[in-house]
Amino acid sequence: MFEAHDKPIEELYEILNANKEGLTSIEVEQRLSKYGRNELVTEEKIHPLRIFLNQFRDLLVIILIVAGLITAILGILENDESVIIEVISITIVIILNAGLGFYQEFSAEKAIEALRTLSKSEVIVFRDNEKVRLKAEFLVPGDIILLEAGNVIPADIRLIKSYEINVNEAILTGESLSIRKDIKTLPQETSLAERKNMLFKGTTVTSGSGRGLVTSTGLGTELGKIASSLSEIEREDTPIQKKLKLLAKQLTIFIVIIAASIFLIQIIFIGLEQFTELLIFAIGLAVAVVPEGLPAVMTLSLAIGITRMARQNALIRRLPVVEVLGSSTVISTDKTGTLTKNEMTVTLVWTINHQYSVTGTGYTNVGQILKVETAKQVTPDYKPELESLIEIGTLANEASIEFQGDSRPYKTFGDPTEIALLILAEKGQKIGNIMQNWDIEYLFPFDSNRKRMSTISKHKITDQYRIMVKGALDLMLDICINYLEDGKSIPLTQEIKEKIIKVSERFSANFAYRILGFALKDITTEEAKRLLEEKKSNLVEDNLTFVGFVGMIDPPRESSRPAVLKAKDAGIKVIMITGDHVETAKAIGKEIGIYGNMEPITGKMLEKMVDQELEEVIEEVEIFARVDPSHKLRIINALKKHDEVVIMTGDGVNDAPALKRADIGVAMGITGTDVAKEASDMILVDDNFANIIEAIYEGRRIYDNIKKFINYLLSANAGEVLSVLAIVILGLIFFNHLILPIVAIQLLYINLVTDTFPALALGMSPAEEDVMKRKPRDPKEPLLTKNMVIFILLFGVLNAIGCVFLFLWSIEFNLTIDIEIVDLTRQRTIIFAALVVYQMIQCLSVSQNTTIFSKKTLENKILIGAILLGLILLLFAIYIPLLQPFIKTYPLEAMDWIMILITAIPILIIEELYEKIIFKPGRDRLQIPVDGSLI
């Protein structure tokens, strides 16, 4: 649109072709066509079909689809009708995987839609010379709207009338205090934060009323410009996505090598006589290498993790984000509302001779006013100073609260500082009692120049008029000539003023209190009438009697300190980023365990630093104070230069670019703007910092489990391939014949049926006891390390030895038998059963970091149940007559099972010994240095 702060109001009317009676319906239609709706639509809304199709972009899923196609082609070439079952099975797995991923991501988008609030507001606007209430999305430039306290500003607006309007612009500037607005024309070079004649979309009117002229809507607003800039910031793949892509590529290469190797071996031994048959077998065995269940197990594990996090009020928008949480090294968090309650609370009341402690935090009436000297509860009417101070705080106040029930938070409206004073009154003599005794005759609103608010009030019973004033303590003392002590007014000397200042500074420095002074003056009826006629604050706020001051603070959440300490135990650094004062940030930091030795860096210091200087100190800094949201992007970039995996919280519009740049952007569900939520990866529904730590715990658990079931599934496939390959080579050498020790449908049954449930159980396994005692893993750590590959190959070799032995035993070690005339159904069933039994042992082995011969093994009831289910499904395949023709099995005898178990014992012992030697006890065997990696 255009800059409106530097143009006279009459000129704006001409530029916008507007008039004081409002636009006509025809003009509105024309402008809607020209400018569009007043919405922040930065990109095309994600269609459900697009979310569903995105589930098929994963290379592992593509490999699975190719495997299904090859299986179908082989079935056609061999004229095998049973291949239909295999193709259907693979198709079901693909659709199940896509369905799970779609459900979680679509549910997250729907939940975010429900959290949106900005676009749903309504406004009162002049149209066709009438006042009309309409949805904010239908505003157009040139509209004139009415403004009152509590309104969320629906567009960028130039003030044309103002009655003491104050606006909270925290979502744009990060400044938590309200800004007084006026209608004066400003110079062209005036910065955004100083444009006091402009109201910006998304900010909130905290007090006052007025009228404004809409100058910009939608993406043309300041908020819209920031929203548009997000499209320039690309979102990177998460580490797990990168690793899975690499794993899929390597599996593809491995599959090709396996197929080529088997084909060449066969050619070498038996020539080209059975070329087609050899080719079909080589391709079929290569397809068996594909871990069909891996994509579905991966998706389901992440989906279960998301569900668990949702119960903790952490809404995850994309499945892979769950894993990134587990590798995070730094949390850069806001203070207000995240580490603290965002509920200013009076905890100190001070008068000349007495000090009171106020218990309870937040916006409830739970708490007492205690006299510090005796630690006993007092009621304000026992002390005139305390009674008067509470009355001043209640009457010189533009906020309001509504009782919602005992111990329940009040419904609040207005400035947090003023709400805190009303809560103090509720803990004392109750607002209702005060309002019954006093009438407010006139109120002078808070002014940033005077830094105080005052009221002329009249006592309903005695008709006594009283001036009541609250404001900045130092300026209050300048207009006081007396102080109140035991109900008497005593001259205020310079010595006593210095004492009051010294005490207040001590409280500010040690406890980061925000100090507010209180004063009063009783006046006659004649004086009141004169002052009410003149309505000049400088005449009212003079020659007052000082009553006392209060100390208030936004208290930390009870859960913040334990969460910070838990993060430190896990090797995660927590950085506080706040727009608040340095002393306040330090006090909160000390209380919750963030602040150490290094002094905070302020916004001014940050602006003087070049990027290299910031990168040099960023590893040591724990607190950034008095910073703007725009500084967050620089902080993130500096952290990323050190290869940190960064979680960044934010709620304002200006936080959005930083949220998108962070490895995980966390938006606030309560105070967060729509723009911040759209840029985020995760939303804290209740704005609670502790839930980030719980999400990290869940992320680490999930990553451990991902490693476990990848280890298990790849071990299982390695066992199958090496076992088959070993018997094939045995047949070619000793029998000069291609022996198929297991058929394709049996391999598929193992991969999709008996293997899947144990793999799912591994994905759902509880966390290891030390999961939050470890340092964050290196984000470059591969999914498959050198030791894991050795472990997988070892299992494969042991499988092959066991299966070769069982095959030879089943033919009575007769190497001269004419294998071509032997029905190998029994032998194949033995190999089929042995592979499943071996894999169940492998599942137990990878399930935990300690020996499987422990009580902990039996405590994992889901895993034990899954293994039993896998064995039951194996028995179904072997002994149910209806399944035998399809799976091509033979009912085994007791001796067959005894031999299978005998061959399984060495596998169990060797794997246990290997783990104790290579993977030292007490160390997470999955945390192998990158030096030993293959991927």
Side-chain angles (χ1 to χ4, degrees), residues 171-188:
I171 69 164
L172 271 177
T173 65
E175 176 59 57
S176 58
L177 296 178
S178 297
I179 308 298
R180 172 59 61 86
K181 297 289 185 174
D182 56 46
I183 64 172
K184 295 177 183 176
T185 303
L186 298 171
Q188 185 176 0

PDB file of all heavy atoms in Angstrom, residues 171-188:
ATOM      1  N   ILE A 171       3.489  -8.218  19.774  1.00  0.00           N
ATOM      2  CA  ILE A 171       3.666  -9.205  18.702  1.00  0.00           C
ATOM      3  C   ILE A 171       4.477  -8.650  17.537  1.00  0.00           C
ATOM      4  O   ILE A 171       5.022  -9.407  16.739  1.00  0.00           O
ATOM      5  CB  ILE A 171       2.308  -9.734  18.181  1.00  0.00           C
ATOM      6  CG1 ILE A 171       1.543  -8.645  17.436  1.00  0.00           C
ATOM      7  CG2 ILE A 171       1.479 -10.330  19.261  1.00  0.00           C
ATOM      8  CD1 ILE A 171       0.431  -9.185  16.595  1.00  0.00           C
ATOM      9  N   LEU A 172       4.574  -7.316  17.452  1.00  0.00           N
ATOM     10  CA  LEU A 172       5.381  -6.699  16.393  1.00  0.00           C
ATOM     11  C   LEU A 172       6.748  -6.257  16.891  1.00  0.00           C
ATOM     12  O   LEU A 172       7.757  -6.471  16.243  1.00  0.00           O
ATOM     13  CB  LEU A 172       4.654  -5.493  15.806  1.00  0.00           C
ATOM     14  CG  LEU A 172       3.703  -5.732  14.638  1.00  0.00           C
ATOM     15  CD1 LEU A 172       3.021  -4.443  14.249  1.00  0.00           C
ATOM     16  CD2 LEU A 172       4.429  -6.321  13.445  1.00  0.00           C
ATOM     17  N   THR A 173       6.781  -5.636  18.071  1.00  0.00           N
ATOM     18  CA  THR A 173       8.020  -5.022  18.563  1.00  0.00           C
ATOM     19  C   THR A 173       8.677  -5.793  19.690  1.00  0.00           C
ATOM     20  O   THR A 173       9.849  -5.585  19.982  1.00  0.00           O
ATOM     21  CB  THR A 173       7.738  -3.591  19.063  1.00  0.00           C
ATOM     22  OG1 THR A 173       6.870  -3.660  20.215  1.00  0.00           O
ATOM     23  CG2 THR A 173       7.075  -2.760  17.984  1.00  0.00           C
ATOM     24  N   GLY A 174       7.917  -6.679  20.369  1.00  0.00           N
ATOM     25  CA  GLY A 174       8.443  -7.392  21.526  1.00  0.00           C
ATOM     26  C   GLY A 174       8.340  -6.598  22.813  1.00  0.00           C
ATOM     27  O   GLY A 174       8.639  -7.103  23.894  1.00  0.00           O
ATOM     28  N   GLU A 175       7.900  -5.350  22.747  1.00  0.00           N
ATOM     29  CA  GLU A 175       7.746  -4.502  23.927  1.00  0.00           C
ATOM     30  C   GLU A 175       6.478  -4.885  24.671  1.00  0.00           C
ATOM     31  O   GLU A 175       5.385  -4.843  24.123  1.00  0.00           O
ATOM     32  CB  GLU A 175       7.688  -3.031  23.503  1.00  0.00           C
ATOM     33  CG  GLU A 175       7.434  -2.054  24.635  1.00  0.00           C
ATOM     34  CD  GLU A 175       8.483  -2.128  25.720  1.00  0.00           C
ATOM     35  OE1 GLU A 175       9.668  -1.943  25.405  1.00  0.00           O
ATOM     36  OE2 GLU A 175       8.105  -2.383  26.878  1.00  0.00           O
ATOM     37  N   SER A 176       6.630  -5.281  25.957  1.00  0.00           N
ATOM     38  CA  SER A 176       5.486  -5.795  26.701  1.00  0.00           C
ATOM     39  C   SER A 176       4.580  -4.692  27.241  1.00  0.00           C
ATOM     40  O   SER A 176       3.416  -4.937  27.541  1.00  0.00           O
ATOM     41  CB  SER A 176       5.969  -6.665  27.870  1.00  0.00           C
ATOM     42  OG  SER A 176       6.820  -5.928  28.722  1.00  0.00           O
ATOM     43  N   LEU A 177       5.110  -3.464  27.382  1.00  0.00           N
ATOM     44  CA  LEU A 177       4.295  -2.370  27.925  1.00  0.00           C
ATOM     45  C   LEU A 177       3.454  -1.735  26.823  1.00  0.00           C
ATOM     46  O   LEU A 177       3.854  -1.678  25.661  1.00  0.00           O
ATOM     47  CB  LEU A 177       5.191  -1.307  28.566  1.00  0.00           C
ATOM     48  CG  LEU A 177       6.008  -1.762  29.786  1.00  0.00           C
ATOM     49  CD1 LEU A 177       6.875  -0.625  30.282  1.00  0.00           C
ATOM     50  CD2 LEU A 177       5.093  -2.261  30.904  1.00  0.00           C
ATOM     51  N   SER A 178       2.291  -1.252  27.201  1.00  0.00           N
ATOM     52  CA  SER A 178       1.400  -0.619  26.238  1.00  0.00           C
ATOM     53  C   SER A 178       1.950   0.744  25.800  1.00  0.00           C
ATOM     54  O   SER A 178       2.647   1.421  26.556  1.00  0.00           O
ATOM     55  CB  SER A 178       0.011  -0.430  26.857  1.00  0.00           C
ATOM     56  OG  SER A 178      -0.557  -1.677  27.166  1.00  0.00           O
ATOM     57  N   ILE A 179       1.621   1.143  24.564  1.00  0.00           N
ATOM     58  CA  ILE A 179       2.098   2.403  23.981  1.00  0.00           C
ATOM     59  C   ILE A 179       0.918   3.357  23.826  1.00  0.00           C
ATOM     60  O   ILE A 179      -0.131   2.979  23.307  1.00  0.00           O
ATOM     61  CB  ILE A 179       2.739   2.151  22.595  1.00  0.00           C
ATOM     62  CG1 ILE A 179       3.803   1.058  22.675  1.00  0.00           C
ATOM     63  CG2 ILE A 179       3.302   3.442  22.025  1.00  0.00           C
ATOM     64  CD1 ILE A 179       4.964   1.382  23.561  1.00  0.00           C
ATOM     65  N   ARG A 180       1.096   4.605  24.278  1.00  0.00           N
ATOM     66  CA  ARG A 180       0.058   5.612  24.109  1.00  0.00           C
ATOM     67  C   ARG A 180       0.075   6.123  22.662  1.00  0.00           C
ATOM     68  O   ARG A 180       1.127   6.422  22.112  1.00  0.00           O
ATOM     69  CB  ARG A 180       0.293   6.779  25.078  1.00  0.00           C
ATOM     70  CG  ARG A 180      -0.614   7.996  24.875  1.00  0.00           C
ATOM     71  CD  ARG A 180      -2.095   7.676  24.992  1.00  0.00           C
ATOM     72  NE  ARG A 180      -2.468   7.167  26.272  1.00  0.00           N
ATOM     73  CZ  ARG A 180      -2.791   7.912  27.329  1.00  0.00           C
ATOM     74  NH1 ARG A 180      -2.817   9.202  27.240  1.00  0.00           N
ATOM     75  NH2 ARG A 180      -3.134   7.343  28.475  1.00  0.00           N
ATOM     76  N   LYS A 181      -1.100   6.209  22.046  1.00  0.00           N
ATOM     77  CA  LYS A 181      -1.232   6.635  20.663  1.00  0.00           C
ATOM     78  C   LYS A 181      -1.888   8.009  20.576  1.00  0.00           C
ATOM     79  O   LYS A 181      -2.660   8.400  21.469  1.00  0.00           O
ATOM     80  CB  LYS A 181      -2.059   5.618  19.864  1.00  0.00           C
ATOM     81  CG  LYS A 181      -1.435   4.228  19.774  1.00  0.00           C
ATOM     82  CD  LYS A 181      -0.211   4.209  18.871  1.00  0.00           C
ATOM     83  CE  LYS A 181       0.348   2.823  18.685  1.00  0.00           C
ATOM     84  NZ  LYS A 181       1.441   2.780  17.703  1.00  0.00           N
ATOM     85  N   ASP A 182      -1.605   8.747  19.484  1.00  0.00           N
ATOM     86  CA  ASP A 182      -2.254  10.038  19.258  1.00  0.00           C
ATOM     87  C   ASP A 182      -2.424  10.248  17.752  1.00  0.00           C
ATOM     88  O   ASP A 182      -2.062   9.380  16.960  1.00  0.00           O
ATOM     89  CB  ASP A 182      -1.470  11.188  19.895  1.00  0.00           C
ATOM     90  CG  ASP A 182      -0.031  11.252  19.422  1.00  0.00           C
ATOM     91  OD1 ASP A 182       0.190  11.152  18.195  1.00  0.00           O
ATOM     92  OD2 ASP A 182       0.882  11.384  20.248  1.00  0.00           O
ATOM     93  N   ILE A 183      -2.954  11.397  17.375  1.00  0.00           N
ATOM     94  CA  ILE A 183      -3.295  11.603  15.955  1.00  0.00           C
ATOM     95  C   ILE A 183      -2.324  12.539  15.238  1.00  0.00           C
ATOM     96  O   ILE A 183      -2.527  12.876  14.071  1.00  0.00           O
ATOM     97  CB  ILE A 183      -4.727  12.147  15.809  1.00  0.00           C
ATOM     98  CG1 ILE A 183      -4.832  13.544  16.442  1.00  0.00           C
ATOM     99  CG2 ILE A 183      -5.727  11.189  16.424  1.00  0.00           C
ATOM    100  CD1 ILE A 183      -6.173  14.224  16.175  1.00  0.00           C
ATOM    101  N   LYS A 184      -1.238  12.935  15.898  1.00  0.00           N
ATOM    102  CA  LYS A 184      -0.315  13.894  15.294  1.00  0.00           C
ATOM    103  C   LYS A 184       0.400  13.307  14.071  1.00  0.00           C
ATOM    104  O   LYS A 184       0.816  12.151  14.082  1.00  0.00           O
ATOM    105  CB  LYS A 184       0.736  14.332  16.320  1.00  0.00           C
ATOM    106  CG  LYS A 184       0.155  15.100  17.505  1.00  0.00           C
ATOM    107  CD  LYS A 184       1.252  15.428  18.512  1.00  0.00           C
ATOM    108  CE  LYS A 184       0.674  16.136  19.734  1.00  0.00           C
ATOM    109  NZ  LYS A 184       1.725  16.365  20.760  1.00  0.00           N
ATOM    110  N   THR A 185       0.544  14.142  13.036  1.00  0.00           N
ATOM    111  CA  THR A 185       1.289  13.740  11.843  1.00  0.00           C
ATOM    112  C   THR A 185       2.776  13.688  12.188  1.00  0.00           C
ATOM    113  O   THR A 185       3.291  14.555  12.896  1.00  0.00           O
ATOM    114  CB  THR A 185       1.054  14.734  10.693  1.00  0.00           C
ATOM    115  OG1 THR A 185      -0.350  14.806  10.428  1.00  0.00           O
ATOM    116  CG2 THR A 185       1.793  14.294   9.435  1.00  0.00           C
ATOM    117  N   LEU A 186       3.472  12.669  11.709  1.00  0.00           N
ATOM    118  CA  LEU A 186       4.869  12.443  12.084  1.00  0.00           C
ATOM    119  C   LEU A 186       5.786  12.602  10.883  1.00  0.00           C
ATOM    120  O   LEU A 186       5.351  12.499   9.727  1.00  0.00           O
ATOM    121  CB  LEU A 186       5.021  11.021  12.648  1.00  0.00           C
ATOM    122  CG  LEU A 186       4.218  10.727  13.915  1.00  0.00           C
ATOM    123  CD1 LEU A 186       4.271   9.243  14.233  1.00  0.00           C
ATOM    124  CD2 LEU A 186       4.753  11.534  15.092  1.00  0.00           C
ATOM    125  N   PRO A 187       7.095  12.834  11.126  1.00  0.00           N
ATOM    126  CA  PRO A 187       8.055  12.936  10.017  1.00  0.00           C
ATOM    127  C   PRO A 187       8.132  11.617   9.239  1.00  0.00           C
ATOM    128  O   PRO A 187       7.876  10.541   9.784  1.00  0.00           O
ATOM    129  CB  PRO A 187       9.387  13.235  10.717  1.00  0.00           C
ATOM    130  CG  PRO A 187       9.001  13.789  12.053  1.00  0.00           C
ATOM    131  CD  PRO A 187       7.717  13.116  12.429  1.00  0.00           C
ATOM    132  N   GLN A 188       8.538  11.692   7.997  1.00  0.00           N
ATOM    133  CA  GLN A 188       8.589  10.517   7.123  1.00  0.00           C
ATOM    134  C   GLN A 188       9.557   9.463   7.634  1.00  0.00           C
ATOM    135  O   GLN A 188       9.314   8.262   7.514  1.00  0.00           O
ATOM    136  CB  GLN A 188       8.996  10.948   5.707  1.00  0.00           C
ATOM    137  CG  GLN A 188       8.959   9.808   4.692  1.00  0.00           C
ATOM    138  CD  GLN A 188       9.269  10.294   3.291  1.00  0.00           C
ATOM    139  OE1 GLN A 188       9.513  11.472   3.076  1.00  0.00           O
ATOM    140  NE2 GLN A 188       9.275   9.376   2.342  1.00  0.00           N
TER     141      GLN A 188
END
